[in-house]
């Protein structure tokens, strides 16, 4: 069922509702056959952008091109684009079979052909034995499969998925995510995937566009965005990170010296390789991922290219795969992930309020040319004193006496 | 099924409590039982008895016979039955055709407009039924407002003869029964998930096709309920045909009334006609419901 693939070009797309700009001058190109994600917090305009591609909303300005065809003004039923809706929107008065057959019935194809294609689709999503059931009698995961089969039967050039897994529980979500990737491989068409869940976007996408307040903040492969965030928002939204306000004190050939404010009179010096062109005296923000920092009660001996700072453990959170330490350095709180390997450090477990050394390689920090986080409400998310997230589930290690 | 497992574990106390509860429920349902007996069972019993008697000039003779039924089944009243069914059917159809767009519009308006429009639908009920029909007589009469307006606009040369035709009856019937169609339709359409229309259009259906494939089938329950509310009273309509129609096409409601009003009175035939009407309506309702239920159960069975 592979067909000639075409790229999607979105040019300067803007949409507003009663003066409220939901999508602001968005331009991007999605390559043929790509699995592309729009990732951003709730209300950032992902659905609106998707609905414009599907044809349910008309943009205020801008164009959408599918291959060489300008589809901006085409009604939804004339676009070779199909959608999986946020709540599946299966027709409750039709069986699973008829739901899947719907698009072909509309086109008035002969019955034997409809039957063959419906069976093929149901097989693809492993729902052959549920064909006669009605949507209100099948589970959420099964509805999801039917929605996929229904959307794919018309052989669209692009499949749009609006938070397709949001309504499923965690285990099923992980399972369906893999299934979706398999289906993407099987049909080979372009998928545009909308989600607010960064881990979902990271694991499934070829490329991700990070959105906030109607704007695309950054786009690229997930590892690129994770390792090289272009803004505080990207760094914050994708994965966990430590954001340190810093000032450039001197520039060497392949690294810069930075002075980091730790509140009040406290400050410490670190080195970092640079990804932006810094100037002496420039203020910027350093992003340092928690898993790149090592924590130990003994000071490391090998100090070449390693930053070492001293702090005090304030909180310990056991998370199964790793332990999260909150380490206070001056007024700054560092989040540090320590994997449970006893190969490197032959020492007893770290304890509350214990003075420790934090150290990391100076290629592991990342410079962001922003001082205040654009698009982030600083009051709401205090970048430098963020609450400990329990989202991954975990058990706080009790304070030992 | 679950209960049977526990049945023999009931203690004496529990059995006594159950008995007490049964007594209570009997006691509580007394008012409705009395109501049903007094206002439904007894009157119909009287009607049944009267239908089996022999007519006298003013009253009845207490001789039991099937004469009334024989007279009706001989086909003497075929025409009024036919006219009444035709009227009820046409009224229902027009109510669906006119009521559906209105119900749809109300269901899709904003909260504020919904309430205003619903009140507008209900307002006619505040005016006396007879007065509203007489207004229509004035409006539709040969020298009435409608004809004058059409004449002055030059659309017609001669006044239209609407009053005292079957059309006049249909117009007023539709007018009176329209709200009974709109309200159940509205309540069903209002609950409809309109993203289903997006889904249909996404899958290639034009607006029109999406309507016929999704919206209309999903409002079937409303159409069914509205049709019952319109069809059944329309079948027995008396006042509207009497005030708007003519004496050449008499409807069953009028025939029944004449049988009682005109001397010599014929109580048995009037009663028998009413009962036959009742049986026909019951049959229609029961088939309607059973088709509906069967569809629902089939849906559930297939799901297993
Ligand atoms: N039809 C609409 N009318 C008015 N505002 C809307 C409409 N659709 C979306 N919005 C607004 O646009 C913003 C973006 O919405 P949406 O695209 O649904 O966000 P997301 O899918 O990223 O959560 C929200 O603030 C929402 O309130
Ligand atoms: Mg959304």
């Amino acid at each position: 069922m592979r067909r000639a693939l075409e790229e999607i070009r979105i040019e300067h797309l803007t949409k507003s509702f009663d003066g409220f700009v939901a999508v602001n001058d968005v331009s991007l190109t999605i390559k043929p056959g790509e699995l592309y994600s729009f990732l951003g917090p709730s209300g950032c305009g992902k659905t609106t952008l998707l609905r414009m591609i599907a044809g349910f909303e008309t943009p205020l300005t801008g164009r959408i091109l599918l291959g060489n065809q300008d589809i901006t003004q085409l009604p939804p039923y004339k676009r070779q684009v199909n959608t999986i809706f946020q709540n599946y929107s299966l027709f409750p008065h039709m069986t699973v079979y008829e739901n899947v057959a719907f698009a072909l019935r509309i086109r008035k194809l002969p019955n034997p052909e409809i039957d063959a294609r419906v069976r093929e689709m149901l097989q693809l999503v492993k729902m052959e034995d549920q064909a006669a059931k009605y949507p209100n009698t099948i589970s959420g995961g099964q509805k999801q499969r039917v929605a996929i089969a229904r959307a794919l039967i018309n052989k669209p050039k692009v499949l749009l998925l609006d938070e397709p897994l949001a309504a499923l529980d965690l285990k099923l979500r992980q399972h369906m995510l893999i299934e979706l990737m398999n289906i993407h491989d099987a049909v080979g068409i372009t998928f545009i995937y909308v989600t607010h869940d960064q881990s979902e976007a990271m694991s499934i996408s070829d490329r991700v566009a990070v959105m906030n307040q109607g704007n695309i903040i950054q786009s690229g492969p997930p590892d690129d965005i994770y390792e090289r965030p272009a803004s505080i928002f990207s760094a914050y939204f994708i994965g966990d990170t430590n954001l340190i306000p810093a000032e450039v004190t001197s520039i060497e050939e392949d690294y810069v010296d930075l002075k980091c404010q730790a509140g009040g009179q406290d400050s410490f010096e670190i080195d970092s390789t640079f990804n932006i062109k810094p100037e002496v005296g420039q203020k910027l923000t350093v992003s340092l991922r928690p898993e790149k920092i090592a924590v130990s009660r003994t000071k490391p001996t090998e100090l070449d290219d390693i930053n070492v700072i001293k702090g005090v453990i304030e909180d310990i959170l056991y998370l199964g795969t790793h332990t999260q330490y909150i380490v206070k350095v001056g007024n700054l709180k560092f989040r540090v992930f320590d994997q449970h390997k006893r190969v490197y450090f032959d020492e007893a477990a770290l304890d509350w309020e214990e003075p420790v050394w934090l150290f990391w390689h100076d290629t592991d920090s990342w410079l962001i040319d922003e001082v205040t986080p654009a698009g982030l409400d600083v009051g709401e998310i205090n970048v430098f004193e963020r609450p400990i997230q329990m989202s991954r589930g975990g058990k706080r290690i009790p304070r030992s006496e | 099924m679950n209960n049977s497992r526990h049945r023999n574990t009931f203690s004496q106390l529990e059995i006594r409590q159950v008995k007490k509860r049964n007594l209570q429920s009997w006691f509580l349902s007394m008012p409705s039982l009395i109501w049903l007996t007094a206002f439904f069972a007894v009157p119909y019993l009287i009607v049944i008895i009267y239908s089996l008697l022999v007519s006298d000039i003013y009253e009845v003779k207490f001789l039991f016979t099937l004469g009334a039924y024989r007279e009706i089944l001989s086909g003497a009243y075929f025409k009024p039955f036919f006219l009444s069914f035709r009227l009820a059917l046409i009224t229902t159809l027009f109510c669906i055709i006119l009521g559906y767009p209105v119900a749809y519009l109300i269901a899709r308006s904003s909260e504020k407009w919904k309430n205003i429009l619903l009140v507008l639908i209900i307002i006619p009920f505040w005016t006396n039924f007879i007065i509203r029909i007489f207004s229509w007589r004035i409006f539709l009469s040969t020298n009435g407002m409608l004809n004058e307006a059409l004449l002055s606009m030059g659309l017609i040369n001669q006044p239209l003869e609407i009053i005292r035709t079957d059309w006049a009856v249909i117009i007023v019937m539709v007018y009176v029964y329209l709200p009974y169609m709109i309200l159940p339709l509205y309540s069903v359409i209002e609950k409809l998930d309109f993203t289903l229309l997006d889904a249909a259009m996404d899958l290639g259906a034009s607006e029109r096709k999406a309507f016929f494939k999704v919206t209309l089938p999903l409002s079937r329950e409303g159409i069914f309920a509205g049709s019952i509310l319109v069809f059944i009273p329309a079948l027995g309509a008396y006042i509207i045909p009497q005030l708007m129609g003519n004496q050449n096409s008499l409807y069953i409601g009028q025939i029944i009334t004449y049988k009682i009003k005109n001397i010599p009175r014929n109580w048995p035939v009037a009663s028998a006609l009413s009962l036959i009407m009742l049986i026909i309506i019951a049959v229609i309702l029961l088939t309607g419901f059973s088709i509906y239920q069967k569809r629902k159960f089939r849906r559930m069975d297939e799901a297993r």
Side-chain angles (χ1 to χ4, degrees):
Chain A
M1 59 182 290
R2 276 171 202 277
R3 49 178 26 223
L5 294 173
E6 284 166 343
E7 69 172 20
I8 301 168
R9 270 210 321 284
I10 290 170
E11 296 175 351
H12 304 292
L13 217 53
T14 296
K15 172 81 190 174
S16 63
F17 297 105
D18 308 318
F20 171 81
V21 180
V23 172
N24 184 21
D25 194 24
V26 164
S27 296
L28 51 93
T29 303
I30 298 167
K31 293 179 206 146
E34 203 171 20
L35 206 162
Y36 195 97
S37 293
F38 298 150
L39 170 64
S42 175
C44 73
K46 309 179 295 285
T47 297
T48 308
L49 186 50
L50 207 69
R51 285 175 63 82
M52 285 193 282
I53 301 173
F56 297 118
E57 308 278 359
T58 319
L60 188 67
T61 59
R63 306 199 297 165
I64 303 165
L65 292 111
L66 182 56
N68 295 322
Q69 190 194 8
D70 185 342
I71 61 167
T72 320
Q73 301 300 333
L74 282 187
Y77 49 89
K78 291 201 176 138
R79 301 186 183 200
Q80 286 174 296
V81 171
N82 284 118
T83 309
I84 293 181
F85 292 85
Q86 212 155 351
N87 54 1
Y88 318 131
S89 294
L90 298 182
F91 304 125
H93 58 300
M94 295 181 195
T95 58
V96 164
Y97 184 98
E98 283 306 318
N99 264 282
V100 177
F102 187 87
L104 304 184
R105 294 243 188 266
I106 292 288
R107 285 170 52 196
K108 298 205 164 68
L109 294 189
N111 270 329
E113 187 183 345
I114 292 182
D115 192 61
R117 280 171 65 177
V118 171
R119 305 248 166 247
E120 182 195 357
M121 271 345 285
L122 287 175
Q123 204 174 344
L124 177 75
V125 297
K126 306 195 185 81
M127 287 287 287
E128 307 103 300
D129 51 343
Q130 315 281 328
K133 291 190 178 177
Y134 281 85
N136 58 354
T137 62
I138 58 178
S139 72
Q142 291 175 323
K143 284 182 195 166
Q144 173 74 79
R145 291 162 190 274
V146 178
I148 294 169
R150 188 180 69 170
L152 285 175
I153 198 159
N154 223 359
K155 301 183 178 168
K157 289 179 176 164
V158 183
L159 183 70
L160 310 177
L161 305 97
D162 191 354
E163 312 236 7
L165 309 182
L168 306 178
D169 57 54
L170 182 66
K171 266 274 176 293
L172 199 54
R173 211 179 313 161
Q174 291 166 342
H175 181 73
M176 280 308 293
L177 201 63
I178 294 168
E179 202 115 328
L180 272 177
M181 287 196 270
N182 292 340
I183 290 171
H184 178 246
D185 289 344
V187 297
I189 61 168
T190 311
F191 277 30
I192 303 182
Y193 189 96
V194 159
T195 178
H196 67 269
D197 183 324
Q198 52 104 6
S199 64
E200 227 173 88
M202 294 269 278
S203 50
I204 200 173
S205 320
D206 296 319
R207 283 195 300 153
V208 179
V210 182
M211 290 185 68
N212 191 30
Q213 297 179 347
N215 296 292
I216 292 202
I217 305 288
Q218 184 174 4
S219 65
D223 56 326
D224 204 42
I225 296 180
Y226 186 80
E227 300 289 346
R228 291 174 279 281
S231 67
I232 293 181
F233 183 86
S234 301
Y236 170 80
F237 198 76
I238 316 288
D240 287 305
T241 194
N242 296 292
L243 295 160
I244 313 158
E247 185 180 337
V248 179
T249 50
S250 72
I251 302 171
E252 309 298 328
E253 194 183 330
D254 53 1
Y255 66 92
V256 288
D257 290 321
L258 299 163
K259 186 177 169 188
C260 302
Q261 292 301 324
Q265 298 299 311
D266 290 346
S267 70
F268 55 89
E269 307 250 320
I270 60 171
D271 295 344
S272 173
T273 50
F274 48 88
N275 47 291
I276 52 173
K277 215 171 151 60
E279 286 163 25
V280 175
Q282 181 184 357
K283 289 199 159 63
L284 43 72
T285 304
V286 178
S287 164
L288 183 59
R289 298 286 181 189
E291 72 275 14
K292 314 236 178 185
I293 310 175
V295 57
S296 170
R297 58 165 70 90
T298 48
K299 195 172 180 179
T301 46
E302 167 107 34
L303 289 176
D304 251 14
D305 303 330
I306 302 273
N307 293 298
V308 183
I309 55 174
K310 205 169 162 50
V312 176
I313 293 186
E314 195 184 85
D315 210 344
I316 305 173
L317 190 60
Y318 176 78
L319 293 163
T321 56
H322 61 276
T323 297
Q324 171 180 283
Y325 297 100
I326 301 293
V327 179
K328 215 165 172 193
V329 179
N331 277 350
L332 290 184
K333 284 179 183 170
F334 277 76
R335 185 189 303 252
V336 179
F337 293 161
D338 189 32
Q339 292 208 317
H340 306 138
K341 294 197 194 87
R342 300 246 175 247
V343 191
Y344 302 125
F345 304 113
D346 186 21
E347 59 180 24
L350 297 168
D351 201 0
W352 287 74
E353 287 175 12
E354 203 177 334
V356 285
W357 297 95
L358 299 181
F359 45 103
W360 67 95
H361 198 268
D362 63 11
T363 55
D364 277 340
S365 50
W366 184 255
L367 306 186
I368 297 169
D369 191 8
E370 275 179 349
V371 182
T372 47
L376 271 187
D377 183 354
V378 187
E380 184 186 326
I381 310 153
N382 188 334
V383 177
F384 309 111
E385 260 197 73
R386 280 168 51 198
I388 299 153
Q389 288 173 343
M390 298 286 288
S391 62
R392 284 157 204 243
K395 180 174 164 298
R396 227 165 145 177
I397 307 286
R399 201 181 278 261
S400 62
E401 292 310 318
Chain B
M1 291 163 275
N2 255 342
N3 275 344
S4 64
R5 241 192 306 148
H6 301 294
R7 189 163 290 155
N8 36 17
T9 64
F10 275 146
S11 70
Q12 284 302 312
L13 181 74
E14 279 171 325
I15 290 173
R16 221 175 304 145
Q17 275 175 341
V18 168
K19 276 186 179 165
K20 202 170 136 198
R21 224 176 294 140
N22 283 345
L23 213 69
Q24 272 175 353
S25 64
W26 259 100
F27 184 73
L28 288 173
S29 56
M30 276 315 267
S32 52
L33 278 178
I34 292 173
W35 195 91
L36 278 175
T37 317
F39 296 111
F40 185 78
V42 172
Y44 263 108
L45 205 65
I46 295 174
V47 174
I48 291 171
I49 292 170
Y50 263 58
S51 75
L52 295 170
L53 299 178
V54 174
S55 70
D56 206 347
I57 298 178
Y58 294 107
E59 273 301 324
V60 279
K61 278 197 267 220
F62 277 83
L63 294 168
F64 285 90
T65 159
L66 288 172
Y69 290 99
R70 227 173 277 131
E71 186 182 333
I72 294 167
L73 293 178
S74 74
Y77 300 96
F78 176 75
K79 197 183 167 204
F81 266 109
F82 168 76
L83 287 178
S84 285
F85 270 97
R86 194 183 66 176
L87 176 68
L89 213 62
I90 295 175
T91 305
T92 310
L93 277 178
F94 273 110
C95 281
I96 294 173
I97 293 167
L98 294 175
Y100 197 96
V102 178
Y104 192 87
L105 183 90
I106 300 176
R108 296 221 65 174
S109 335
S110 66
E111 249 358 89
K112 195 186 84 189
W113 274 103
K114 253 181 213 172
N115 292 330
I116 295 174
L117 291 170
L118 281 176
V119 169
L120 286 179
I121 298 292
I122 297 166
I123 277 181
F125 289 116
W126 299 349
T127 314
N128 182 291
F129 179 58
I130 307 285
I131 290 175
R132 284 189 285 149
I133 298 173
F134 270 99
S135 320
W136 273 102
R137 271 167 68 128
I138 295 165
F139 181 72
L140 294 178
S141 66
T142 316
N143 305 316
M145 276 194 281
L146 181 68
N147 274 322
E148 267 176 34
L150 291 176
L151 280 169
S152 68
M153 279 191 289
L155 290 174
I156 48 172
N157 300 325
Q158 289 206 326
L160 296 175
E161 296 287 339
I162 304 176
I163 194 81
R164 297 255 160 254
T165 62
D166 287 340
W167 281 111
V169 177
I170 290 169
I171 290 173
V172 176
M173 288 290 283
V174 171
Y175 158 77
V176 166
Y177 287 106
L178 198 52
Y180 296 98
M181 180 63 78
I182 292 177
L183 294 178
L185 271 177
Y186 161 81
S187 76
V188 167
I189 298 174
E190 208 241 342
K191 287 193 215 87
L192 216 133
D193 175 7
F194 284 102
T195 62
L196 293 177
L197 286 188
D198 281 355
M201 278 164 70
D202 191 68
L203 293 165
S206 60
E207 282 94 343
R208 210 177 62 86
K209 274 191 182 157
F211 175 80
F212 282 109
K213 289 249 176 195
V214 177
T215 318
L216 200 58
L218 286 176
S219 19
R220 212 163 35 198
E221 280 172 40
I223 297 174
F224 188 67
S227 297
I228 286 174
L229 287 182
V230 173
F231 187 83
I232 288 170
L235 213 49
Y238 162 67
I239 295 177
I240 297 172
Q242 186 70 15
L243 292 178
M244 302 302 294
N246 57 61
Q247 295 299 307
N248 289 331
S249 43
L250 289 177
Y251 296 86
I252 199 72
Q254 290 168 290
I255 296 288
I256 294 174
T257 316
Y258 290 165
K259 287 286 166 200
I260 300 171
K261 216 169 67 176
N262 297 353
I263 315 273
R265 299 195 209 279
N266 197 338
W267 288 96
V269 167
S271 305
L273 281 172
S274 308
L275 283 175
I276 288 175
M277 252 347 227
L278 177 80
I279 290 164
I280 292 173
I281 290 172
V283 167
I284 293 173
L285 271 183
L286 287 177
T287 16
F289 270 124
S290 72
I291 289 171
Y292 184 74
Q293 288 291 335
K294 216 178 273 166
R295 192 169 277 169
K296 210 156 96 185
F297 280 127
R298 200 185 56 203
R299 198 176 289 189
M300 278 152 64
D301 280 347
E302 278 174 0
R304 299 269 145 71

